[in-house]
Structures are given as C-alpha cells and as structure tokens.
Amino acid sequence: MSTTDGIERFGYRQELRRTVGFADLVFYGLIFMVPIAPFGIFGTAFQISHGMVALAYLVALIALMFTAWSYARMSAEFPMTGGVYNYAGRGISAPVGFLSGWMILLDYLLLPILLYIIAAIAMASIVPAVPVWIWLLVFIAVNTVINATGMKMTIGVIRLFIVGEMLVLALFLVLGVSAVLSGKAEFSFDPIFNPGEFSFGLVLGAASITVLSFLGFDGIALLAEENRGRAKQLGRAMALALMLAGLLFIAQTWVAALLVPDPEALINADPSVRPADQQLLDNAFYNSAEVAGGSFLFTTCALATALAWGIADTMVAQVASSRLIYAMARDRQLPRFLSKVSVRFAVPTNAIYLAAALSLVVGMTVFEFAGAGPGIFKLLGITATGNSVGFLTSIINFGAICSFLALHVAVIWHFVFKKRSRRLFSDLVIPLCGLGVLGSVAYFNSAPAQFTGLVWLGIGLIILIGLYVAGRKPTLTRTLDEQGDSFHAAPKRHA
C-alpha cells in the first residue's frame, strides 16, 4: 500500500489491522445490502409503487450510483474510516461533518433494529412457539461475538452467507421464471413500467422505500483503514457492489411481481382497517415464492430472510456503526473511551459493544416484543408487526439521504471551490445530478419520517452547541495546506 494512502499524514496512528482486500470489500458491501433484501419489504414497495416495484429499484439504483461516484472521489482524497462524517468534515467544515455523521448515525443505529424486526417476523412464520425477543437476543449475541473477534472472522462469515443467499435467490429465480413460462403467471412489463399507473410522485415515493435495500454500499468507505489495497479501490468496490445488487434486486422483484396471487388486494391492503392485511404485506414475497415452488419455497425464502437480515446484515451494520462511533470518538466528538481498540483483535471493541447495547435496549423498549414492554410505538398506535416497519424504513432512509446530500455538497465545495478542479463533469455535474435525484426522493418521503429526521437533526444541533459551550468544538486534524496543496507533518494522535 502506498504511503500516500495512509492515515499518518492526517495525524492519526494506524491501529486497525489491514486485512481486507478488494473482493472482501465487494462481499462486505453485498452482504450489507443483502442480495435478497427485497424479500422483507417487497409487500410495502409493491403497494406504494402500485406494482412497479422493479422500476422503484431502478430509480433508487440510478440515484445511488451518483452517490457512489461522490464516495469514490472523497474516499480517494481522505482514505480513513468515518465515511461521510470525515468527507463532509474535511471537504466543508468540521461542524458540517459532525452533523452529517450525526444524521447517518440515525441510519446505522436504527437499521439493525429494523433488520431484527423483519428477521423476527420471518422466524415467527416458521417457529411461532419461540418468543420474538428470544430471537433478538440470539441475533445480537451472535453478531457481537463474531465482530469482537476481528475482521478476519467477520469476512469469513460474510463469504459463507453470500454463497447461501445467492443459492436461495438462484432457486427462486429458476422456479419463478419456470412458473411464468409454464403459464402460472402472465409475463408483463408492468413491474418496470405501467403507463396506466405511472406518476413521478408515485415512483419517487416508492424509491424512498427501496433505497433501504441499497444502504450498505456506503459502509465500504468505513473500512478504509482496514483496506490493504490502494484507496481508489474503495470507490471501485462500492460501484461494483451497488451495480451487482441493483441487477439482482430488479430481477427478483420483477419475477415476484408477476407471481403475486392478488395484486389488487396487495395494493389496497390497509392494516389500520383490516389487521389481517399486515400479514399479507409481510408475506407478500413468500406468497409469490409459494406460487412458484409451493410451501417448500415459501419456507426457504422466509428462513433465508431471517438469517440474512437477522445475522449477516445486522453483523455488518454493527461493523459500520462501530467504525463511525470510533471515528467520531477519536476526534473527541463522542466519549473518548469509545475509541479504544483491542490489542489482540485490532477492532474498536467498546464501539462494538455500544452498538450491540443500543440494539438490545431500543429493540426491547421501543417495540412490543412478546410482552417485553408496552413500547413507545404501541402508545402511538404503531405495532411491531404493523406499519412500524414502513415507518422505520422511511426514517432510516431519510437520515441516510440527508447525509448523502451533504456528501455531494462536500465534493463540489472541496474540489470545485477549494481546489479549483477543472474536472467539472466529475466534480460538479455528477454531484449536482445526485443532489437533484436524492432531493426529489427525500421530498416524497413520508411526512412523519421527515419530521422525525428533522427532530434528530435538531438534537444534533443542540449537542453541537453544547460542544462549543464546553470548549470542545469539532476539529479535525488538518494537514492539507489550503494554499499550496501540500501536506505538512502533523503530531501523532493516539486513539
């Protein structure tokens, strides 16, 4: 690895172990996105898009390809963990970086909870006798043990899950296409474009849900200090993982949409009026799988969702959240003890334990997990198996989109205004396209999610003001000479 790709030039000491190669980065991004991610939210996406679920995934893919480009530009410029927190902080200013990190922290903290819920729903359809909160404890314990023992173990488990998920997906696609060809369903282009139902608001609203399936490609940037290759391969890995996942998502949702037993019933499902409709939404993909391959494929897809979302995806989500917490703590924008790194395993153990504890506490108190407590959402009329899944999805996506918007602004500000870049297509046009598409998706997000996201942003602003009052204003090690574009020696900062 070139010394110019090291973090020493930014004033930090290399403490995390560089064991992750290009293929590992791609696998990490894929498993974070989950190749079978649409299984769990297919019903909601189908309903909101009025059946054009494949188009909703295509729009989300296009939007995030612009974002992947901006990530690639900034990850090559600042090859360190922290992702958008560091990119916005160094590209614009430290306070903006703090708020960007704070917004995407909403994504990384709530995403595992959502994944646990969807996994629990899937497991409940297979083993209803086991309480949901038991599955929560099992999933959290397994993930924490794996992550605390180092990235080598985590990468090994990731590869195993990728193989398993791809086998299940291949089985569904083969049986699904065979079912269409045999006449069990009629082939149609409606899942990708239905002129009788299409509207920009409809598709962008659905894309605000399907974006969830792609969240995770950005987690590759958080492994910058564990990447053993050149910094530029982070961007290449993001783009490849995103494209592969997008093609898989479009293919499986297209086939599943053709096999939906009763499309009108799914589109018109209203759990608030007919509680039984929630099961119709939750099991929409599995019902399509049953049309293709009977009860065997229904159970196989449900079990695969439970394991993929409950272990594989939450495991890498815990990695991402712990690296973000570690990066912010290293800069004293979170309590310093969270930057402690295990000498034996070279991972931020305290940050990992905090991420696990938050998942446990929030999961047991916010949602009504089989008698684990009344749940805040229940008091608001939202149940764990009700529309809390769609609501949480919208909140997570809104937080991520806000941070991605900051990323695009950071690219423009850093390269065009500060470095006077002449690469206007890559450093201005593409980020502006990303801003436009993502801004439209955020606009058509649900109003409650927008309100919750803005409340979270307000809390971040209060904390930011508190840091200034306490004399701990956000600062990042600045080694770049803004005038001469050269690097100065910076004092070592021990994490």
Side-chain angles (χ1 to χ4, degrees):
M1 178 179 176
S2 170
T3 56
T4 60
D5 285 341
I7 62 171
E8 291 80 4
R9 63 188 172 103
F10 296 99
Y12 298 110
R13 185 176 55 157
Q14 179 68 46
E15 291 189 299
L16 303 182
R17 191 168 296 153
R18 294 190 178 275
T19 58
V20 181
F22 178 78
D24 298 326
L25 291 171
V26 176
F27 286 145
Y28 176 89
L30 279 175
I31 203 67
F32 202 155
M33 288 183 280
V34 185
I36 58 174
F39 285 19
I41 62 172
F42 175 77
T44 301
F46 187 96
Q47 182 184 55
I48 295 176
S49 66
H50 285 203
M52 291 180 287
V53 61
L55 178 59
Y57 271 101
L58 177 60
V59 171
L61 172 62
I62 293 172
L64 294 180
M65 283 303 292
F66 291 122
T67 303
W69 178 269
S70 289
Y71 262 108
R73 291 292 284 145
M74 296 303 278
S75 63
E77 188 79 355
F78 304 110
M80 61 186 69
T81 192
V84 71
Y85 153 71
N86 257 313
Y87 304 152
R90 296 175 186 279
I92 305 175
S93 68
V96 175
F98 172 83
L99 291 176
S100 299
W102 180 257
M103 287 306 294
I104 206 165
L105 192 60
L106 178 66
D107 166 19
Y108 288 145
L109 293 181
L110 290 184
L111 182 58
I113 305 303
L114 175 64
L115 300 177
Y116 288 134
I117 292 171
I118 293 177
I121 291 172
M123 289 304 299
S125 69
I126 301 172
V127 191
V130 178
V132 179
W133 64 271
I134 292 291
W135 293 116
L136 175 71
L137 291 173
V138 170
F139 290 149
I140 291 176
V142 169
N143 290 337
T144 303
V145 169
I146 292 173
N147 284 332
T149 52
M151 279 302 297
K152 187 175 181 180
M153 171 68 76
T154 301
I155 292 297
V157 175
I158 285 174
R159 290 178 172 176
L160 179 64
F161 270 97
I162 279 287
V163 172
E165 289 178 38
M166 294 302 292
L167 288 174
V168 172
L169 180 55
L171 179 64
F172 169 77
L173 289 175
V174 168
L175 294 179
V177 171
S178 297
V180 173
L181 293 177
S182 65
K184 289 185 179 180
E186 182 180 352
F187 177 78
S188 169
F189 286 99
D190 286 352
I192 196 70
F193 183 73
N194 183 349
E197 296 285 348
F198 177 82
S199 74
F200 285 105
L202 186 77
V203 174
L204 289 172
S208 72
I209 296 295
T210 57
V211 162
L212 175 74
S213 299
F214 292 99
L215 297 185
F217 81 93
D218 53 303
I220 292 174
L222 294 167
L223 299 181
E225 293 177 31
E226 291 156 281
N227 167 39
R228 65 170 180 258
R230 296 295 300 268
K232 289 184 178 180
Q233 79 174 10
L234 292 168
R236 297 190 185 104
M238 285 184 226
L240 179 57
L242 192 61
M243 184 60 69
L244 289 174
L247 294 175
L248 293 175
F249 294 162
I250 292 169
Q252 64 192 274
T253 54
W254 194 330
V255 173
L258 296 176
L259 297 171
V260 170
D262 190 345
E264 289 300 319
L266 189 56
I267 291 173
N268 296 318
D270 189 351
S272 64
V273 176
R274 299 177 297 274
D277 281 0
Q278 187 58 52
Q279 187 174 16
L280 183 64
L281 289 170
D282 291 338
N283 293 333
F285 194 97
Y286 314 135
N287 290 335
S288 292
E290 189 170 29
V291 172
S295 58
F296 164 75
L297 194 57
F298 178 104
T299 302
T300 299
C301 289
L303 181 60
T305 300
L307 295 178
W309 289 64
I311 295 181
D313 199 16
T314 46
M315 177 178 65
V316 293
Q318 190 183 74
V319 170
S321 60
S322 64
R323 269 47 173 192
L324 177 59
I325 292 169
Y326 163 76
M328 296 181 74
R330 184 172 62 181
D331 290 326
R332 299 185 65 216
Q333 295 180 27
L334 288 177
R336 193 58 177 256
F337 79 93
L338 295 173
S339 65
K340 178 180 173 58
V341 174
S342 166
V343 175
R344 179 180 178 186
F345 298 112
V347 293
T349 48
N350 286 350
I352 290 173
Y353 296 147
L354 175 63
L358 288 172
S359 294
L360 178 62
V361 171
V362 176
M364 296 291 279
T365 58
V366 175
F367 302 99
E368 185 190 18
F369 271 163
I376 296 173
F377 275 19
K378 184 183 179 183
L379 298 177
L380 297 176
I382 302 172
T383 63
T385 56
N387 52 357
S388 63
V389 171
F391 180 58
L392 253 188
T393 299
S394 297
I395 294 175
I396 292 168
N397 290 347
F398 185 76
I401 289 171
C402 286
S403 66
F404 294 161
L405 292 173
L407 170 70
H408 289 303
V409 173
V411 172
I412 296 171
W413 189 263
H414 179 71
F415 288 103
V416 177
F417 291 101
K418 293 169 67 175
K419 300 190 72 174
R420 306 294 188 215
S421 171
R422 295 183 179 181
R423 299 174 57 181
L424 295 184
F425 181 77
S426 64
D427 296 334
L428 180 62
V429 175
I430 291 180
L432 283 176
C433 290
L435 283 171
V437 178
L438 285 176
S440 300
V441 172
Y443 176 79
F444 285 101
N445 209 325
S446 70
Q450 292 173 343
F451 174 77
T452 305
L454 292 176
V455 169
W456 179 259
L457 177 61
I459 295 173
L461 285 169
I462 293 172
I463 294 175
L464 181 60
I465 293 171
L467 289 173
Y468 272 91
V469 172
R472 294 177 55 190
K473 66 177 182 178
T475 57
L476 297 171
T477 304
R478 306 290 297 189
T479 59
L480 179 62
D481 184 337
E482 302 291 344
Q483 303 300 322
D485 211 25
S486 60
F487 290 96
H488 297 290
K492 297 294 182 181
R493 175 174 294 183
H494 297 279

